Amino acid sequence: MRYHNITKDDMLNGEGLRAVLWVSGCDHGCKGCHNSITWDPSGGIPFDAAAEKELFEAIDHDYISGVTLSGGDPLFMGNRQEMTALTKNIKERFPNKNIWLYTGYRWEEINTLPIMEYVDVLVDGRFVEDLKSAKLHWRGSSNQRIINVQKSLKNGSLYLYHAE
């Protein structure tokens, strides 16, 4: 897996102050994507032990609510195995932090993936430029949903996330 950046104090990509991992690789090709530089799976730099240490140090502060995984697409086929291992590791090391994941895939396509066991909130669906609005919170276009993953998995139906 490769990545482009680790943001250490983000307030736009999920609730609270967050660390964000921007991974490489996306095959959705959404028109108007704000981060098309991350589409190339061979772009960026390798996510190695030093990068993981940097991410964990960014998460390991009382004022950080959690981590957001974005990109590119964390669920790009070439990222799935490593992202699952990473989210499992984050949950084990930081059980009180939440994990948000942004993907162009729809919940119905990915809800059975093993990674979902570790994700708290999922923002799903491709970005649609014609549905873009600056008034939307935590998503780029109105077709995208903010999903409470654990409640959805537990109850077997989709539950949207509501900030507390």
Side-chain angles (χ1 to χ4, degrees):
M1 181 175 75
R2 299 178 71 82
Y3 78 107
H4 280 265
N5 192 26
I6 296 171
T7 306
K8 298 177 180 160
D9 55 358
D10 182 278
M11 294 179 66
L12 300 175
N13 295 286
E15 188 172 22
L17 192 59
R18 318 188 59 73
V20 182
L21 175 64
W22 303 92
V23 300
S24 300
C26 183
D27 55 9
H28 300 298
C30 302
K31 181 182 174 191
C33 173
H34 78 282
N35 213 4
S36 58
I37 193 171
T38 63
W39 292 358
D40 181 358
S42 60
I45 56 177
F47 188 79
D48 56 13
E52 183 175 81
K53 181 177 186 263
E54 180 182 350
L55 178 63
F56 286 2
E57 287 174 355
I59 298 168
D60 195 18
H61 296 284
D62 291 341
Y63 56 84
I64 296 294
S65 300
V67 62
T68 297
L69 307 169
S70 192
D73 193 328
L75 298 182
F76 175 74
M77 290 296 182
N79 293 337
R80 290 183 181 185
Q81 185 174 359
E82 287 182 74
M83 288 304 304
T84 301
L86 178 62
T87 55
K88 181 179 189 280
N89 200 358
I90 291 169
K91 276 296 180 188
E92 289 172 352
R93 291 198 51 188
F94 306 101
N96 297 321
K97 306 284 182 168
N98 58 57
I99 298 175
W100 283 53
L101 190 146
Y102 282 76
T103 184
Y105 294 98
R106 299 289 285 175
W107 169 253
E108 294 76 10
E109 299 173 273
I110 57 169
N111 64 38
T112 60
L113 293 178
I115 192 172
M116 291 304 143
E117 180 181 340
Y118 311 108
V119 174
D120 297 294
V121 179
L122 180 78
V123 181
D124 82 333
R126 295 176 185 212
F127 171 74
V128 177
E129 192 170 41
D130 291 342
L131 301 176
K132 178 181 177 178
S133 171
K135 295 178 181 179
L136 297 172
H137 206 52
W138 300 323
R139 56 196 176 126
S141 57
S142 61
N143 62 299
Q144 295 171 314
R145 299 173 293 185
I146 305 170
I147 299 168
N148 181 325
V149 173
Q150 296 309 309
K151 188 172 183 179
S152 296
L153 291 175
K154 180 180 177 186
N155 294 304
S157 18
L158 185 116
Y159 282 86
L160 295 180
Y161 176 80
H162 299 286
E164 298 180 17

